[in-house]
């Protein structure tokens, strides 16, 4: 078959008109042709690779014939009308079965019909069993009718192109909408990840709720796989069919088994119509739609994240849904890995801290006795060196206490015992307890109290722990000879305690992470200021545990104001010296 014939057939099939139902717009042309030319048959014929098929036919019952019997196959080879006055006398057709049969074809006149690209795909033809010759007037009429049929073919093709373009546009619009929804979902996932208020279990639950909304699923599960046992780590599910954390199932009874075998992502939109209908998960739980992916932690399979529903989906999961699940799986894997590392680190720090605490207490006690002269008078350089050792042992004790407090915070064992307290009394005690440290920094602590004494509900010991951190930070980062001012101010139903210094201020790059563990503006080994980077983390946790809030404002090179804020219970007149 030559290239031109291949291109012609491609153009014919591109019309999408073959084997379509009859249409009145073509039938009225063939009816008119049969009546106008007083012939037995009038046809709109389309010539395919091995057949000719009739889009419209008058006087003929069959819908197609073999191409080898086709007069129209000859007609489309030329640009003009093919007229055969007596086929029995024409060398091209006299042996044709349609001619030699009883009552066979004698007269044929056909006009080629072309596409908008110029390919001849068929004809409008008239056929009769009697020989005849068309007049010039009849030939012009047949050409006119053929032009009408050709226009209808082109119009039908245009209509199909418009419908096709509309479908493409709808598909693109739908894909664009899916992309926007994906971006919005990922933005929401980023907000969940960035939330310092949520523990990992809460983040996983929030991520599963987000996934269920995005995928229109009723069940979302993060699982752990251990020795062919499927354990629920986090889940969201309908209220009437709750799935609890810690629930266990044989791995073989879950689609998770199939997901692990897929070594990536498994998507089932209608389990009842596929091989999954034989799986125990479908037989037992009737889960119709499912999409899940393998979670990797430290390069090893941890379990799966999956979203499912008892209702089937009309269509397969689109690529945007698969992309969302893959990205969410990676996020969950990273979160679990971070938790694993943090747990190992915390366990290590807690173990080391406990092991150091007892001998350090003994060392500090012995140093205090020696410095106090319990073993005899000590003077000069030896006394100075022992004093430095005692001060450093105190600092190390504070570090260990901070590390232990952080561990208690992590496991939820750091308790507070709040009761009604006089704020002015608390602050006076804070100034007194931190006075000696301020002197070491050559900084003055200045307490400014009003004539009102507010009552707040706090744990006095934990309150002093918070104030010690704020005051020591203010003194440490102030210039020699400066004053640190402590004052109270009322904010609606809260009372705020401000600790104001005129020191170096907080660098802008450090403000966002200042309350995170081990955060320090200068964390290098050669930093001038001491500290663990845990004080503000602990202060924030304690303040919030007592129902308050903590914050700050700062300008680099000018100074900072750190504050804690608590609801006030009542106020009374007091006399302040």
């Amino acid at each position: 078959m030559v290239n031109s014939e291949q291109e012609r057939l491609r153009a014919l099939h591109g019309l999408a008109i073959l084997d379509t139902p009859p249409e009145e717009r073509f039938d009225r042309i063939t009816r008119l042709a049969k009546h106008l030319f007083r012939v037995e048959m009038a046809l709109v014929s389309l010539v395919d690779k091995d057949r000719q098929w009739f889009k419209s036919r008058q006087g003929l019952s069959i819908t197609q014939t073999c191409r080898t019997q086709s007069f129209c196959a000859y007609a489309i080879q030329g640009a003009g009308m093919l007229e055969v006055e007596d086929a029995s006398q024409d060398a091209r057709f006299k042996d044709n079965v349609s001619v030699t049969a009883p009552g066979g074809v004698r007269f044929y006149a056909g006009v080629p019909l072309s596409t908008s690209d110029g390919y001849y795909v068929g004809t409008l033809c008239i056929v009769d069993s009697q020989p005849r010759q068309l007049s010039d007037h009849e030939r012009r009429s047949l050409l006119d009718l053929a032009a009408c049929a050709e226009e209808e073919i082109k119009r039908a093709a245009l209509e199909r192109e418009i419908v096709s373009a509309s479908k493409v546009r709808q598909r693109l619009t739908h894909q664009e909408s899916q992309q926007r929804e994906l971006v919005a979902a990922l933005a929401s996932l980023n907000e969940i990840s960035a939330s310092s208020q949520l523990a990992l279990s809460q983040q996983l639950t929030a991520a599963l709720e987000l996934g269920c909304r995005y995928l229109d699923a009723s069940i979302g599960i993060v699982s752990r796989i251990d020795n062919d046992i499927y354990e629920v780590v986090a889940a969201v599910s309908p209220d009437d069919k709750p799935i609890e954390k810690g629930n266990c199932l044989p791995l073989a009874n879950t689609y998770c088994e199939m997901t692990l075998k897929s070594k990536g992502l498994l998507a089932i939109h209608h389990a009842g119509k596929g091989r999954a209908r034989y799986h125990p998960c479908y037989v037992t739980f009737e889960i119709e739609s499912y999409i899940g992916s393998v979670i990797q932690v430290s390069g090893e399979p941890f379990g799966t994240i999956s979203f499912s529903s008892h209702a089937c989906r009309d269509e397969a999961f689109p690529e945007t849904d698969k992309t969302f699940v893959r990205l969410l799986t990676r996020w969950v894997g990273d979160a679990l890995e971070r938790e694993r590392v943090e747990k190992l680190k915390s366990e290590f720090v807690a173990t080391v801290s406990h092991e150091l605490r007892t001998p350090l207490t003994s060392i500090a006690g012995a140093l205090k006795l020696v410095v106090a002269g319990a073993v005899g008078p000590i003077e000069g350089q030896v006394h100075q060196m022992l004093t430095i050792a005692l001060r450093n042992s105190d600092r190390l004790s504070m570090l260990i206490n901070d590390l232990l407090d952080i561990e208690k915070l992590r496991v939820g064992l750091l308790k507070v015992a709040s009761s009604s307290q006089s704020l002015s009394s608390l602050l006076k005690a804070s100034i007194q307890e931190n006075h000696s440290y301020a002197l070491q920094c050559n900084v003055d602590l200045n307490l400014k109290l009003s004539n009102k004494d507010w009552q707040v509900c706090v744990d006095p010991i934990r309150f002093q722990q918070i104030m010690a951190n704020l005051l020591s930070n203010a003194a440490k980062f102030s210039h020699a000879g400066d004053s640190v001012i402590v004052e109270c101010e009322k904010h609606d139903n809260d009372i705020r305690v401000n600790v104001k210094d005129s020191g170096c201020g907080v660098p802008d790059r450090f403000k966002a992470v200042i309350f995170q563990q081990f955060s320090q503006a200068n964390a290098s080994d050669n930093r001038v200021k001491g500290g663990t980077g845990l004080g503000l983390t602990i202060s924030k946790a304690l303040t919030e545990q007592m129902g308050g809030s903590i914050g700050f404002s700062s300008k680099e090179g000018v100074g900072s104001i750190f504050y804690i804020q608590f609801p006030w219970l009542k106020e009374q007149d007091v006399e302040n010296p």
Side-chain angles (χ1 to χ4, degrees):
M1 188 180 298
V2 297
N3 288 338
S4 59
E5 174 62 6
Q6 291 176 339
E7 292 168 1
R8 188 194 71 80
L9 289 173
R10 192 177 297 112
L12 171 62
H13 295 155
L15 295 172
I17 197 173
L18 290 171
D19 302 310
T20 57
E23 295 182 59
E24 179 60 22
R25 55 181 168 180
F26 291 105
D27 289 344
R28 68 166 61 97
I29 294 174
T30 53
R31 283 198 305 269
L32 182 59
K34 184 175 183 295
H35 174 74
L36 181 62
F37 297 106
R38 299 180 301 281
V39 291
E40 296 168 354
M41 289 177 283
L43 309 167
V44 172
S45 171
L46 299 173
V47 182
D48 202 357
K49 179 179 179 181
D50 299 313
R51 61 169 179 159
Q52 68 170 354
W53 177 79
F54 307 119
K55 174 61 179 172
S56 179
R57 62 190 191 279
Q58 305 295 333
L60 185 66
S61 59
I62 60 176
T63 59
Q64 64 183 29
T65 64
C66 180
R67 179 169 175 169
T68 57
Q69 302 173 14
S70 171
F71 283 67
C72 297
Y74 284 89
I76 64 172
Q77 294 178 11
M81 180 189 301
L82 172 64
E83 183 178 352
V84 180
E85 296 177 5
D86 187 349
S88 64
Q89 303 301 313
D90 193 307
R92 294 170 296 178
F93 304 108
K94 64 180 181 179
D95 296 325
N96 192 304
V97 174
S98 61
V99 175
T100 58
V105 174
R106 292 296 179 268
F107 171 74
Y108 171 91
V111 179
L113 305 176
S114 73
T115 65
S116 56
D117 295 329
Y119 293 104
Y120 293 122
V121 293
T123 67
L124 171 66
C125 63
I126 52 178
V127 183
D128 202 89
S129 60
Q130 299 298 320
R132 65 177 291 181
Q133 182 180 28
L134 295 177
S135 66
D136 290 341
H137 175 73
E138 288 175 325
R139 292 189 184 96
R140 285 193 297 272
S141 296
L142 184 58
L143 288 170
D144 288 342
L145 288 176
C148 293
E150 186 174 274
E151 286 300 317
E152 292 300 335
I153 288 177
K154 293 177 180 177
R155 184 177 291 112
L158 180 60
E159 290 172 355
R160 286 180 177 82
E161 287 181 5
I162 292 173
V163 170
S164 177
S166 177
K167 289 181 179 178
V168 169
R169 185 164 55 250
Q170 290 176 359
R171 185 170 65 252
L172 291 175
T173 300
H174 182 59
Q175 290 176 348
E176 183 181 354
S177 175
Q178 289 178 328
Q179 293 288 347
R180 285 199 299 268
E181 290 174 359
L182 175 60
V183 170
L186 294 178
S188 298
L189 181 61
N190 187 57
E191 292 177 2
I192 293 171
S193 178
S195 175
S196 60
Q197 306 295 325
L198 299 179
L200 177 62
S201 60
Q202 295 172 311
Q203 287 187 340
L204 292 179
T205 300
L208 290 173
E209 291 172 345
L210 170 66
C212 284
R213 290 195 301 271
Y214 178 77
L215 297 166
D216 193 23
S218 57
I219 301 170
I221 299 175
V222 172
S223 70
R224 177 191 291 111
I225 308 302
D226 186 19
N227 294 325
D228 293 329
I229 297 297
Y230 174 97
E231 179 187 354
V232 176
V233 174
V236 295
S237 58
D239 293 337
D240 58 339
K241 295 180 179 179
I243 299 175
E244 301 294 339
K245 178 181 177 181
N247 285 0
C248 293
L249 289 171
L251 176 62
N253 290 355
T254 68
Y255 285 146
C256 181
E257 176 203 33
M258 298 170 63
T259 307
L260 290 171
K261 289 180 179 178
S262 72
K263 297 181 180 180
L265 183 140
L266 176 68
I268 304 171
H269 73 283
H270 195 166
K273 288 189 175 181
R275 289 183 299 175
R277 68 181 180 273
Y278 303 114
H279 195 277
C281 187
Y282 182 76
V283 174
T284 305
F285 303 109
E286 298 181 339
I287 298 296
E288 284 285 3
S289 61
Y290 170 94
I291 184 168
S293 182
V294 179
I295 300 170
Q296 297 281 341
V297 176
S298 299
E300 297 293 332
F302 171 88
T304 63
I305 181 170
S306 64
F307 299 91
S308 56
S309 181
H310 292 93
C312 63
R313 297 171 69 99
D314 295 333
E315 298 178 347
F317 286 92
E319 281 303 315
T320 48
D321 287 0
K322 295 178 181 179
T323 298
F324 171 78
V325 172
R326 289 190 184 99
L327 293 174
L328 181 56
T329 302
R330 190 181 306 167
W331 177 84
V332 171
D334 290 344
L336 291 170
E337 173 66 11
R338 286 194 300 272
E339 182 195 41
R340 187 187 72 85
V341 172
E342 284 295 326
K343 184 177 180 181
L344 289 173
K345 184 173 68 175
S346 297
E347 289 174 352
F348 172 76
V349 169
T351 300
V352 172
S353 299
H354 279 290
E355 293 296 324
L356 288 176
R357 192 174 198 177
T358 300
L360 184 61
T361 301
S362 298
I363 293 170
L367 285 171
K368 287 179 181 178
L369 289 173
V370 173
V371 171
V375 295
I378 299 175
E379 299 177 355
Q381 190 173 6
V382 174
H383 185 277
Q384 183 181 1
M385 292 178 66
L386 288 174
T387 302
I388 293 173
L390 178 59
R391 186 163 58 244
N392 286 333
S393 68
D394 289 340
R395 289 177 60 190
L396 189 54
S397 295
M398 292 175 60
L399 168 61
I400 290 175
N401 289 335
D402 283 349
L403 291 173
L404 292 174
D405 280 347
I406 283 291
E407 176 60 15
K408 290 178 182 178
L409 282 171
R410 189 185 70 83
V411 297
L413 295 179
L414 191 62
K415 304 300 182 182
V416 297
S418 297
S419 60
S420 179
Q421 300 288 328
S422 163
L423 184 58
S424 62
S425 298
L426 290 173
L427 293 177
K428 289 175 182 177
S430 298
I431 297 297
Q432 185 176 0
E433 291 176 10
N434 291 276
H435 179 69
S436 60
Y437 183 81
L439 288 179
Q440 294 175 28
C441 300
N442 196 17
V443 171
D444 180 45
L445 300 182
N446 187 359
L447 176 61
K448 295 183 177 180
L449 293 175
S450 67
N451 292 326
K452 299 290 185 181
D453 184 22
W454 286 274
Q455 297 291 308
V456 291
C457 186
V458 296
D459 183 323
I461 296 175
R462 296 304 184 184
F463 182 89
Q464 295 302 345
Q465 184 178 351
I466 296 167
M467 287 301 299
N469 180 263
L470 298 184
L471 289 171
S472 63
N473 281 348
K476 180 168 53 180
F477 291 101
S478 292
H479 304 294
D482 284 351
S483 292
V484 173
I485 299 173
V486 179
E487 59 185 357
C488 302
E489 57 180 342
K490 188 176 177 183
H491 277 257
D492 298 326
N493 293 324
D494 292 345
I495 185 68
R496 175 179 291 187
V497 178
N498 293 320
V499 178
K500 181 179 180 181
D501 67 69
S502 53
C504 57
V506 179
D508 291 339
R509 58 179 173 77
F510 183 60
K511 290 179 179 179
V513 296
I514 195 170
F515 290 107
Q516 294 182 9
Q517 293 182 27
F518 303 106
S519 293
Q520 292 181 313
N522 179 8
S524 63
D525 291 338
N526 61 352
R527 63 183 184 271
V528 176
K529 308 298 183 180
T532 64
L534 295 174
L536 286 176
T537 304
I538 297 171
S539 296
K540 183 175 188 295
L542 290 174
T543 302
E544 292 174 352
Q545 203 164 345
M546 292 187 291
S549 60
I550 188 170
F552 72 99
S553 61
S554 182
K555 186 173 182 181
E556 194 167 0
V558 176
S560 304
I561 300 176
F562 278 79
Y563 65 84
I564 51 175
Q565 187 167 311
F566 295 97
W568 58 274
L569 303 179
K570 60 182 179 179
E571 58 182 344
Q572 59 189 28
D573 292 325
V574 295
E575 276 190 33
N576 289 313

